[in-house]
Amino acid sequence: MPTLTVTRRVHFNAAHRLHNPKLSDADNRRVFGPCNNPNYHGHNYELDVSVEGEVDPTTGYVADLGEVKRIVEELVLSRFDHKNLNLDVSEFRERNPTTENLVVAIWEILEGRLPGRLTRLILWETPRNYVTYEGR
Amino acid sequence: MPTLTVTRRVHFNAAHRLHNPKLSDADNRRVFGPCNNPNYHGHNYELDVSVEGEVDPTTGYVADLGEVKRIVEELVLSRFDHKNLNLDVSEFRERNPTTENLVVAIWEILEGRLPGRLTRLILWETPRNYVTYEGR
Amino acid sequence: MPTLTVTRRVHFNAAHRLHNPKLSDADNRRVFGPCNNPNYHGHNYELDVSVEGEVDPTTGYVADLGEVKRIVEELVLSRFDHKNLNLDVSEFRERNPTTENLVVAIWEILEGRLPGRLTRLILWETPRNYVTYEGR
Amino acid sequence: MPTLTVTRRVHFNAAHRLHNPKLSDADNRRVFGPCNNPNYHGHNYELDVSVEGEVDPTTGYVADLGEVKRIVEELVLSRFDHKNLNLDVSEFRERNPTTENLVVAIWEILEGRLPGRLTRLILWETPRNYVTYEGR
Amino acid sequence: MPTLTVTRRVHFNAAHRLHNPKLSDADNRRVFGPCNNPNYHGHNYELDVSVEGEVDPTTGYVADLGEVKRIVEELVLSRFDHKNLNLDVSEFRERNPTTENLVVAIWEILEGRLPGRLTRLILWETPRNYVTYEGR
Amino acid sequence: MPTLTVTRRVHFNAAHRLHNPKLSDADNRRVFGPCNNPNYHGHNYELDVSVEGEVDPTTGYVADLGEVKRIVEELVLSRFDHKNLNLDVSEFRERNPTTENLVVAIWEILEGRLPGRLTRLILWETPRNYVTYEGR
């Protein structure tokens, strides 16, 4: 059977602040610029979740993307959407919520929980910035 | 000379919380749902700024959209982009930062400051929600 | 209070066939071309639903777009999404499901049922074709 | 019968230079900035052509958008697409090819030639700049 | 010479029904949900066709994307666009027209027929669902 | 540390003409069609610049995309944006400015100059045509 990748795009929005408590305030401002605003700013995130596998001869699906959507909503969106990533999401109590750390955290949540093998996440922070992670 | 409308689209992102201090906490949660999160959430906003006028026979422009962009950046984006609308933007000390109130506040800032007559603002809060204001 | 227009964009997909039973088969093919395929074809539709009103001083909303979404889902999407417009939707037993007739049918369903005054529908049939109706 | 607006979006790309021969070279550079480059630059243009009318009870169409497309291709795209607006398009021998002048020229070409009444043109010069003309 | 991938995006729309005749009606409804509607539904599909190769020193092209477009129109779009995939397209007499099976069928049609080596197809069924196939 | 790819999308517009002086005029017209217009045509280009690397534990970044943007603006956009690629950009005095040659030229400019390892460029010439280069 051929092997394909199927992708579901989901949306969430959140507030965050980029900040490393081990750096001085001046260094935080220098490194993170306006993203270091102590009062937070925010984004509409778009997340592409890709799973790879062979086509199931009974369904013609690699994976039921409706099921992928439900799992991502339950495990990720219910905890990240309309939240403050720094204050409301336990993964970012210790980690700086950059797009890079965000996509790795989402990988750790989803890996092994989806129908099919998770092979790629793409996370858009703005229409001009995105991060791709393939779990390596 | 013909009359046209010229539009410049600009981008900013911000955190906010929908909340009316005159309502109880329970009513705030009921009315605003997850948008009432006390820790804020956020959005990538897209703003279309439209000015109307006759075509200038010397330039062939209704308005120099580069100048429109510079003015919007100076008067609006410098104060709203990468900010917390509730805490950092004086217009929302007393006003709830809904998309509706946001677009009216931007109108009040821009009216009379642009080359040409401001006739419409469209503010996208998400790719699926937008508000249009024509100053009436 | 200022008057604004707030818009919610929703999605549905459906099969349809353009056909007028009062015309001959040859005329139907000539007028509607490949859209007359007796076996149907289909589209992903995007629908912008706009309501106009004054900003409510308590909520800062013209209308709760979450409520607009729920009503459009209940009254329109539940009946049109993943359907064959000609066979499954009663409005098109007698009416040809062109984008024009579709947007008028949606208007008739939604008028008077939304919070705020319905003032415009935009229906995209493809990324290159859309119809606008303001109820006149 | 209800009155609706139907719109077809078309694409063309072209080179141009913004320049007014009545101004000095220094003034041209000051007014038009990099758009005054004597060697030209260029754009992918998107054009929305809207016609208004009552729904024809026989077809269910305000206008056949396939026919609108063919007429716009014949009258506009065949002359503007993959062209240098200043050198190849007679309308801009004397007129500066700003987006404003371009949309007025397209209006003059299309008015009275389309099925239905031409009521609006929107011309996107970039994904962030567009001009709207309603023939007044 | 460097090796690059060039991609042409094309559009088609079609009706389909997801159904496996070897399953009971109840199982078909459970597995495919609203996509199992016996009267069909439909989509606007976007297809990205990618070919890889070295840059030809005479043309500066890996492949003439106009030629790629013409071949895809002749071999795929003429048979799939404005069609019912289940009833009108021979590949789906026996195969369930899921996006996965659709992209594999398109690969089988195009492989060896394009200038350059076909290396990837991406097929969007909706703006939120897509499938990628690299021929393995 | 996990390895990720971070991408910044930038925009420029330019005029160009596809032409090989070693071919006859007739062959140039046959090979390049309307893109061979001696007076040039033009495009809005979108360029995705991707760098790969491990997440820096201090910043949480693979690379500061603001810095990526500044370098691309300085090295590429300042020389390509609002230019005639054939006449104004030294790389295309001898090379035909196809999208393929353009993306290779941009690679040669950016390689080794960005924070992190440049691993992919995607260059969109129109919303329907793009070229991907991974430096091989």
Side-chain angles (χ1 to χ4, degrees), chain D residues 1-92:
Chain D
M1 295 302 294
T3 296
L4 295 89
T5 299
V6 297
T7 302
R8 173 75 198 183
R9 179 169 290 179
V10 299
H11 176 90
F12 64 95
N13 63 68
H16 75 156
R17 178 201 189 189
L18 301 188
H19 186 75
N20 180 346
K22 295 176 186 163
L23 299 178
S24 68
D25 284 359
D27 278 352
N28 270 298
R29 281 192 297 270
R30 185 182 49 76
V31 171
F32 298 114
C35 299
N36 185 241
N37 179 358
N39 288 332
Y40 312 100
H41 63 288
H43 297 288
N44 296 326
Y45 292 94
E46 299 280 351
L47 174 68
D48 282 16
V49 178
S50 295
V51 298
E52 186 185 281
E54 296 191 356
V55 179
D56 180 313
T58 301
T59 60
Y61 282 161
V62 165
D64 179 343
L65 285 174
E67 191 186 346
V68 170
K69 182 190 171 206
R70 282 189 297 274
I71 293 169
V72 176
E73 285 175 343
E74 182 192 331
L75 298 181
V76 179
L77 302 197
S78 69
R79 297 180 52 227
F80 288 53
D81 186 36
H82 281 80
K83 301 297 184 191
N84 183 308
L85 298 175
N86 304 65
L87 300 180
D88 296 327
V89 183
S90 56
E91 282 83 350
F92 301 106

Side-chain angles (χ1 to χ4, degrees), chain E residues 23-68:
Chain E
L23 299 178
S24 68
D25 284 0
D27 277 351
N28 269 298
R29 280 192 297 271
R30 184 181 51 75
V31 172
F32 298 115
C35 299
N36 184 241
N37 180 358
N39 289 331
Y40 311 101
H41 63 287
H43 298 288
N44 297 325
Y45 291 94
E46 299 280 349
L47 173 67
D48 283 15
V49 178
S50 295
V51 299
E52 187 184 282
E54 295 192 357
V55 180
D56 180 315
T58 301
T59 60
Y61 283 161
V62 165
D64 178 343
L65 285 175
E67 192 185 345
V68 170

Side-chain angles (χ1 to χ4, degrees), chain E:
Chain E
M1 294 302 294
T3 297
L4 295 89
T5 300
V6 297
T7 303
R8 173 76 199 183
R9 178 169 290 179
V10 299
H11 177 89
F12 64 96
N13 63 68
H16 76 156
R17 177 200 189 189
L18 302 188
H19 185 76
N20 180 346
K22 295 174 186 164
L23 299 178
S24 68
D25 284 0
D27 277 351
N28 269 298
R29 280 192 297 271
R30 184 181 51 75
V31 172
F32 298 115
C35 299
N36 184 241
N37 180 358
N39 289 331
Y40 311 101
H41 63 287
H43 298 288
N44 297 325
Y45 291 94
E46 299 280 349
L47 173 67
D48 283 15
V49 178
S50 295
V51 299
E52 187 184 282
E54 295 192 357
V55 180
D56 180 315
T58 301
T59 60
Y61 283 161
V62 165
D64 178 343
L65 285 175
E67 192 185 345
V68 170
K69 181 191 172 206
R70 281 188 297 274
I71 294 169
V72 176
E73 286 176 342
E74 182 192 330
L75 299 181
V76 180
L77 302 197
S78 70
R79 297 181 52 227
F80 288 53
D81 187 35
H82 282 81
K83 301 296 184 192
N84 183 308
L85 298 174
N86 304 64
L87 301 180
D88 296 327
V89 182
S90 56
E91 282 83 350
F92 301 105
R93 295 269 160 70
E94 304 291 319
R95 269 196 274 194
N96 194 2
T98 59
T99 320
E100 288 91 332
N101 283 340
L102 196 46
V103 81
V104 172
I106 294 170
W107 184 281
E108 291 167 352
I109 293 169
L110 290 178
E111 195 178 20
R113 306 296 295 272
L114 296 171
R117 183 170 68 263
L118 177 65
T119 52
R120 195 179 62 187
L121 295 175
I122 305 177
L123 182 62
W124 294 78
E125 188 187 58
T126 75
R128 301 214 153 259
N129 287 350
Y130 60 91
V131 170
T132 307
Y133 185 45
E134 300 186 344
R136 291 190 283 259

Side-chain angles (χ1 to χ4, degrees), chain C residues 88-135:
Chain C
D88 295 327
V89 182
S90 56
E91 282 83 350
F92 301 105
R93 296 270 160 68
E94 303 292 319
R95 269 197 274 195
N96 195 1
T98 59
T99 321
E100 288 91 332
N101 284 339
L102 196 46
V103 82
V104 172
I106 294 171
W107 185 281
E108 290 167 354
I109 293 169
L110 291 177
E111 196 178 19
R113 305 296 295 273
L114 296 170
R117 184 170 68 263
L118 178 65
T119 52
R120 196 179 60 188
L121 295 174
I122 304 177
L123 183 61
W124 294 78
E125 188 186 58
T126 75
R128 302 216 152 258
N129 287 350
Y130 59 92
V131 170
T132 307
Y133 185 44
E134 300 185 345

